[in-house]
Amino acid sequence: MRGEKMNESIRKDFPFLKRKIRGKPIIYFDNTASTQKPQVMIDALKDFYENHYANIHRGIYTLSQEASEMYEKAHDKVAKFIGARGREEIIFTRNTTESLNLVAHSLNLKKGDEVIITEMEHHSNMIPWMMLKDKGVKLKFLEVDKNGEIVLDKLPSLITKNTKVISCVHMSNFLGTINPVEKIGKIAKENGIIFVVDGAQSVPHMPINVKKINCDFLAFSAHKMCGPTGIGVLYGKKEILENMKPFLGGGDMINEVDYEGYTTHTLPWKFEAGTANIADGYAFGVAIDYLSKIGMDNIWKHEQKLTKFVLEKLMQMKNVEIYGPLDWKKRGGLVSFNVKGMEAHDVAGILDNRANICVRSGHHCAMPMHKKLGVNGSVRASFYLYNTEKEIEVFIKHLNEIVNVFG
Ligand SMILES: Cc1ncc(COP(=O)(O)O)c(C=O)c1O
């Protein structure tokens, strides 16, 4: 199935599209924050609680073993989805934020060590590293130019013998920029530096292979890719995870305990302390099956088409300032902008009021980058597999009216 036909059949999978507010359908363009859910994932969650629920890894009884297997298999699905070697490299966390905190706090960085991130990072890939300043770890920023692209040529000059980590967002949730992670990964590897990728906005939207990127860690969230909230992933290279201390201690992450101490469980369970988010973990696997069936290549192509379409329309509008690269090939399926003379929240409020167009307004957890551009916030429209050109046309029509009346 291709193009419009595929899109039509995908839309039938999402019950929220039947919902109306003020008698009108919803145009959901806040997919960067979180995506809507297909029926198959919702059903899986219900079925798990109705028919398969028990705590995992502890019961000898059949039901517990069944639940354990269903939860564990979701790790295998994620591993396959991103080209990891197996479940031992897939840790389930709560979200991207927790995954990045886990890395930052478990790498055992010391006074004098240096970490490089970019100026366009989401707070989730900034604050965990900033928190290490208390330990004497130094944080450096790779510059972002006026087109919203990193200045890769400057990376070598930031690297010293003390650089231990480079951590970088794959696709910016504010600028939409897709960063050249393969190139950054190569530079990191040549210098013996750990390479961390924030894949919160790339893994849900494009085919990803961790071997190709050559990253040591990759973080992402299920809720941004048709899965439930409360489940995130930290992919880590097995050799590194084996030598890393767990971030949390307690039940399920141990092998042996006595009054003197403990030994840890095998990977990935060593990093999944306490009762896991069992049902959501299982349902995430179902969401992965759903996306894989459609094909990440198809999803990516569809979003690129929408990005090109919306950018061309926005670029024709007077009084609209767009952030990030203007070349659609350099970005993912989102666009952040401001209407000159208007507050971002006002634009978002009017779009909602007039046509249930759900866009995000504010700093999108990228406050330093907004400050660098001299703005308090922006409006962000972001797309996913169920969005259409028709929806974008409605959005552009209303935005045009807003610009003409208020801008
Ligand atoms: C690039 C990026 N990194 C990290 C996050 C944090 O994700 P979560 O809130 O699921 O932890 C987001 C969320 O929008 C994001 O866009």
Side-chain angles (χ1 to χ4, degrees):
M1 247 189 296
R2 296 202 70 81
E4 289 300 303
K5 269 233 154 72
M6 184 181 99
N7 196 235
E8 259 170 51
S9 103
I10 285 169
R11 284 175 71 81
K12 291 199 182 107
D13 297 336
F14 288 83
F16 93 97
L17 285 166
K18 292 192 202 105
R19 167 92 206 272
K20 292 200 166 138
I21 298 177
R22 295 177 283 264
K24 289 183 194 161
I26 299 169
I27 297 181
Y28 188 78
F29 284 170
D30 196 17
N31 294 288
T32 298
S34 203
T35 66
Q36 296 293 338
K37 316 301 172 197
Q39 191 66 54
V40 65
M41 194 288 287
I42 300 166
D43 290 347
L45 209 48
K46 187 164 174 282
D47 173 54
F48 189 84
Y49 278 123
E50 281 177 356
N51 298 306
H52 308 284
Y53 185 75
N55 208 334
I56 53 168
H57 294 161
R58 289 165 210 184
I60 290 299
Y61 53 92
T62 309
L63 193 64
S64 170
Q65 295 203 349
E66 189 178 285
S68 303
E69 202 175 303
M70 289 167 87
Y71 175 73
E72 288 174 9
K73 269 196 181 149
H75 292 64
D76 300 336
K77 289 180 183 180
V78 173
K80 191 163 169 236
F81 190 71
I82 59 166
R85 281 175 287 183
R87 67 168 66 161
E88 64 277 14
E89 298 192 315
I90 305 297
I91 300 160
F92 278 5
T93 60
R94 279 187 306 145
N95 45 41
T96 306
T97 306
E98 187 174 302
S99 300
L100 291 167
N101 273 277
L102 195 165
V103 181
H105 290 279
S106 304
L107 279 178
N108 202 18
L109 298 182
K110 297 192 177 65
K111 189 171 187 274
D113 287 344
E114 294 176 3
V115 174
I116 302 173
I117 62 174
T118 79
E119 288 180 335
M120 67 169 79
E121 297 310 315
H122 186 282
H123 297 162
S124 294
N125 194 29
M126 196 175 277
I127 314 297
W129 306 110
M130 280 181 174
M131 287 165 102
L132 299 181
K133 279 188 183 172
D134 294 347
K135 280 171 97 181
V137 174
K138 190 172 171 189
L139 187 59
K140 291 180 174 176
F141 293 89
L142 178 61
E143 189 184 325
V144 172
D145 67 17
K146 60 178 181 355
N147 300 321
E149 294 176 58
I150 55 163
V151 187
L152 189 60
D153 291 349
K154 290 200 175 166
L155 181 57
S157 67
L158 295 179
I159 295 173
T160 71
K161 63 177 188 350
N162 296 325
T163 308
K164 293 290 176 335
V165 178
I166 298 176
S167 189
C168 171
V169 68
H170 192 174
M171 182 185 133
S172 162
N173 66 307
F174 164 38
L175 302 170
T177 319
I178 297 163
N179 284 319
V181 281
E182 284 94 350
K183 287 186 187 161
I184 302 171
K186 190 164 176 283
I187 296 172
K189 290 301 106 191
E190 283 164 2
N191 289 278
I193 297 166
I194 299 259
F195 183 40
V196 184
V197 174
D198 173 353
Q201 296 305 336
S202 57
V203 178
H205 301 278
M206 59 175 84
I208 295 288
N209 187 302
V210 286
K211 292 189 197 90
K212 210 169 141 214
I213 299 174
N214 201 5
C215 57
D216 297 301
F217 295 98
L218 175 74
F220 53 101
S221 300
H223 71 93
K224 293 182 193 288
M225 47 194 295
C226 296
T229 50
I231 279 281
V233 175
L234 178 66
Y235 155 83
K237 272 196 189 139
K238 193 177 157 198
E239 308 75 70
I240 302 177
L241 291 178
E242 267 164 356
N243 291 314
M244 226 163 79
K245 277 202 171 158
F247 177 43
L248 298 170
D252 229 24
M253 50 72 73
I254 51 87
N255 176 30
E256 276 285 332
V257 189
D258 59 28
Y259 291 120
E260 305 305 318
Y262 69 95
T263 56
T264 54
H265 203 335
T266 50
L267 290 172
W269 322 121
K270 164 183 164 184
F271 290 98
E272 293 191 11
T275 297
N277 189 351
I278 311 165
D280 291 321
Y282 162 68
F284 180 31
V286 174
I288 296 257
D289 288 341
Y290 175 77
L291 293 174
S292 304
K293 207 165 144 204
I294 293 164
M296 293 310 292
D297 266 323
N298 290 328
I299 292 171
W300 180 231
K301 270 186 217 140
H302 175 69
E303 287 185 31
Q304 281 192 307
K305 207 173 102 204
L306 296 183
T307 310
K308 183 171 182 278
F309 189 69
V310 78
L311 263 185
E312 281 170 2
K313 303 255 178 224
L314 282 175
M315 275 156 60
Q316 286 165 18
M317 289 169 73
K318 277 193 195 139
N319 287 339
V320 168
E321 185 172 45
I322 303 167
Y323 306 109
L326 294 180
D327 178 355
W328 62 270
K329 291 191 207 87
K330 292 185 173 178
R331 52 192 304 156
L334 69 89
V335 60
S336 298
F337 62 93
N338 268 314
V339 175
K340 284 181 195 153
M342 281 188 81
E343 288 292 331
H345 289 318
D346 291 338
V347 176
I350 299 171
L351 288 169
D352 178 46
N353 245 294
R354 287 192 172 192
N356 300 327
I357 300 169
C358 312
V359 292
R360 189 46 83 95
S361 52
H363 54 65
H364 321 304
C365 297
M367 214 188 255
M369 194 65 227
H370 276 85
K371 283 186 184 164
K372 182 172 164 150
L373 293 172
V375 287
N376 288 330
S378 58
V379 184
R380 182 184 67 195
S382 54
F383 316 111
Y384 209 23
L385 68 169
Y386 36 72
N387 291 124
T388 64
E389 285 187 358
K390 268 196 196 124
E391 289 179 321
I392 291 179
E393 273 166 0
V394 176
F395 160 66
I396 292 292
K397 173 181 160 282
H398 287 281
L399 190 63
N400 251 319
E401 285 170 15
I402 293 170
V403 172
N404 290 337
V405 176
F406 305 100

